[in-house]
Amino acid sequence: MISWLTVVVLSCFINRGLIFAYTLQDEQTLHSALLTGYNKGLRPGIDRTIPMTLNMTFLLFSIKELDISSGEFSVTGVFVLNWIDERLSWNPASYNQTNTTVILQSQLWLPNLINVNPFQDITGLRHDELSIVVDYTGLCTWFAIKTFESVCYTDVTKYPFDTQVCSIKFYVWGYSYIQDIDSTFVSPKVLLTLYSENGIWEVHDSATYTQMNIYNDKEIIVELTLKRRTSYYIVSLILPIGFISFLMGFVFLLPQDSGERLGFSLSVLLSVVVYLTIIQDILPEASEPHVSILGIFLSIFVAHGSLIVIVVIINLRIQNQRSQKPVPKFINRLILFVRRKDLDMVEPLGSKIELDYKDEDNVLTWSEVANDLDLIFFVVLQVVFCILSICYFLSVLT
């Protein structure tokens, strides 16, 4: 006796065979029936008082380019659009259980989506080689694959620790969203199931939504929040700049009679200038919304290096002063104040003993002044470097 389970399994196989039993002639007959008298210039919808619903989903394949200097943003992805066209519905039983078919998009009505913030030319989604998948209920599915290019207004304030928000805007050209087409996104996010990672940018967040512009038109927006991958920039940009700037103060530890002080300080200064030039070539020539913090700090380091060159020249002149010319009293007192520990002149807490700067033993020579100024400038410059570095990282990481 045949069990009920066997009957059910056989029924499934029989039904499955019936579903996929249609032939080329069946599909050709179906196309002839659907396209005869079909006017692709008229949008779908029997009741013209009700706007047609256009469902959309965006799948991202890859980020092709984001040029922060020119503002060019390009991605490769696919727009999946669904709508109902009652003119393309049929009874599957009349065509040997043909449930779906594929029709070239040039033969059907399509929503005319136009990119309204292009980088160069205004383009749409249409492509002659693409086709539309049509279901027997009249459900049309269009997979519009394309490389989308748009303008992205970048904010380089925290470069290279920056995050950019770029969007691609579309508009259904020629139709009113109130009377003709109501476009909505099925998913509030960009789908990343087929996404290939980019070496420079990480997709931090995404959004797909519609909004009304100032002309009361409905814009379709695909928005990506991109965070820069900073490992390369830290190794090749931030650390070299930090090491070079850190070396600036060490010029004061070189022997004064070595003759290399001025050359060393100028070499370090030129290195910082070179990095400043590299940064200026990368960043856009704009002051809005903000200037790069890295560029500002590099300019400060250039001024810092220029000041060091001036101090080195002055210190060399002090070193070569004639011994017959006495050291000014205020310089003598300043150096003795700094050297008070070496001279055993540290007074006890609460003591009111005054230092006797008129003692002949405490009169300094120009060579001693130059040596002590070297130590003072070295400490001050290293403290300034540490403060500037901390301020930079606090400003870009918060």
Side-chain angles (χ1 to χ4, degrees):
M1 184 175 180
I2 301 177
S3 63
W4 283 105
L5 180 60
T6 305
V7 174
V8 171
V9 173
L10 290 175
S11 299
C12 291
F13 277 104
I14 293 172
N15 290 333
R16 184 176 178 84
L18 289 175
I19 291 174
F20 295 96
Y22 68 91
T23 64
L24 175 62
Q25 183 61 41
D26 296 327
E27 193 166 10
Q28 185 173 347
T29 304
L30 174 62
H31 278 217
S32 299
L34 294 178
L35 299 178
T36 300
Y38 183 88
N39 188 348
K40 65 179 183 180
L42 298 177
R43 74 164 179 87
I46 297 175
D47 188 352
R48 311 306 275 186
T49 61
I50 301 175
M52 185 200 77
T53 301
L54 178 64
N55 296 318
M56 301 172 296
T57 304
F58 188 83
L59 289 85
L60 180 66
F61 291 163
S62 64
I63 298 173
K64 184 178 178 182
E65 184 179 12
L66 173 54
D67 189 342
I68 62 174
S69 179
S70 63
E72 180 181 2
F73 175 59
S74 61
V75 298
T76 302
V78 57
F79 246 120
V80 183
L81 299 100
N82 298 305
W83 67 92
I84 297 292
D85 192 339
E86 298 86 350
R87 297 169 294 179
L88 299 177
S89 60
W90 69 90
N91 184 5
S94 302
Y95 300 95
N96 202 8
Q97 300 301 324
T98 304
N99 290 322
T100 60
T101 187
V102 178
I103 304 176
L104 288 175
Q105 68 170 29
S106 58
Q107 297 178 287
L108 301 180
W109 176 90
L110 293 177
N112 194 16
L113 264 70
I114 300 298
N115 184 1
V116 293
N117 66 332
F119 180 73
Q120 290 182 341
D121 298 329
I122 296 178
T123 59
L125 296 184
R126 294 175 180 270
H127 200 283
D128 293 340
E129 285 75 19
L130 298 180
S131 300
I132 310 296
V133 180
V134 183
D135 185 78
Y136 72 94
T137 61
L139 176 64
C140 299
T141 304
W142 183 23
F143 297 91
I145 184 171
K146 190 179 178 67
T147 297
F148 303 93
E149 296 183 351
S150 67
V151 175
C152 182
Y153 298 100
T154 56
D155 182 2
V156 296
T157 305
K158 297 184 178 182
Y159 175 88
F161 302 93
D162 53 329
T163 299
Q164 306 296 340
V165 179
C166 299
S167 61
I168 308 173
K169 298 181 181 180
F170 297 89
Y171 173 65
V172 182
W173 193 261
Y175 295 96
S176 169
Y177 83 96
I178 299 177
Q179 299 177 348
D180 298 319
I181 298 178
D182 182 18
S183 52
T184 58
F185 276 101
V186 177
S187 172
K189 300 282 187 179
V190 173
L191 300 185
L192 303 175
T193 52
L194 302 176
Y195 175 67
S196 299
E197 291 291 339
N198 184 271
I200 300 177
W201 298 98
E202 173 191 357
V203 179
H204 186 65
D205 196 7
S206 64
T208 54
Y209 58 94
T210 59
Q211 70 176 13
M212 306 303 299
N213 59 19
I214 59 176
Y215 302 106
N216 204 29
D217 294 326
K218 196 171 189 179
E219 290 183 343
I220 300 167
I221 300 176
V222 177
E223 185 177 275
L224 292 173
T225 302
L226 306 177
K227 188 175 182 180
R228 189 187 298 273
R229 302 181 189 272
T230 57
S231 300
Y232 168 79
Y233 299 93
I234 291 175
V235 173
S236 62
L237 187 65
I238 302 299
L239 289 181
I241 291 174
F243 290 146
I244 291 173
S245 302
F246 181 70
L247 285 175
M248 284 184 177
F250 283 86
V251 66
F252 295 104
L253 298 185
L254 290 175
Q256 294 184 359
D257 55 356
S258 65
E260 298 295 332
R261 282 193 164 194
L262 190 59
F264 177 84
S265 58
L266 286 174
S267 298
V268 174
L269 176 60
L270 290 176
S271 300
V272 178
V273 172
V274 169
Y275 272 98
L276 178 60
T277 304
I278 294 174
I279 295 299
Q280 289 176 339
D281 291 338
I282 296 174
L283 301 180
E285 299 178 357
S287 300
E288 294 294 335
H290 301 287
V291 179
S292 172
I293 295 176
L294 180 60
I296 294 175
F297 274 87
L298 279 177
S299 300
I300 293 175
F301 281 133
V302 170
H304 185 230
S306 303
L307 180 62
I308 289 176
V309 173
I310 295 173
V311 172
V312 167
I313 294 173
I314 294 175
N315 212 23
L316 288 175
R317 185 172 180 81
I318 292 175
Q319 173 71 19
N320 296 321
Q321 283 285 350
R322 291 174 298 177
S323 58
Q324 295 82 2
K325 187 176 181 180
V327 178
K329 186 178 297 184
F330 76 94
I331 296 179
N332 195 81
R333 290 188 176 183
L334 175 64
I335 300 301
L336 289 177
F337 176 77
V338 175
R339 296 174 57 185
R340 63 184 183 275
K341 291 185 179 181
D342 296 334
L343 297 175
D344 295 325
M345 298 174 62
V346 180
E347 53 185 289
L349 185 64
S351 174
K352 296 183 179 179
I353 300 176
E354 296 183 358
L355 301 177
D356 185 8
Y357 292 109
K358 298 180 180 180
D359 193 340
E360 293 181 357
D361 295 335
N362 294 332
V363 176
L364 303 176
T365 64
W366 285 109
S367 179
E368 291 176 323
V369 170
N371 289 331
D372 287 339
L373 286 177
D374 283 343
L375 180 60
I376 293 172
F377 288 136
F378 172 76
V379 174
V380 170
L381 290 175
Q382 297 308 100
V383 171
V384 170
F385 169 78
C386 293
I387 293 175
L388 289 176
S389 300
I390 293 173
C391 291
Y392 170 72
F393 284 105
L394 287 177
S395 60
V396 297
L397 297 178
T398 56

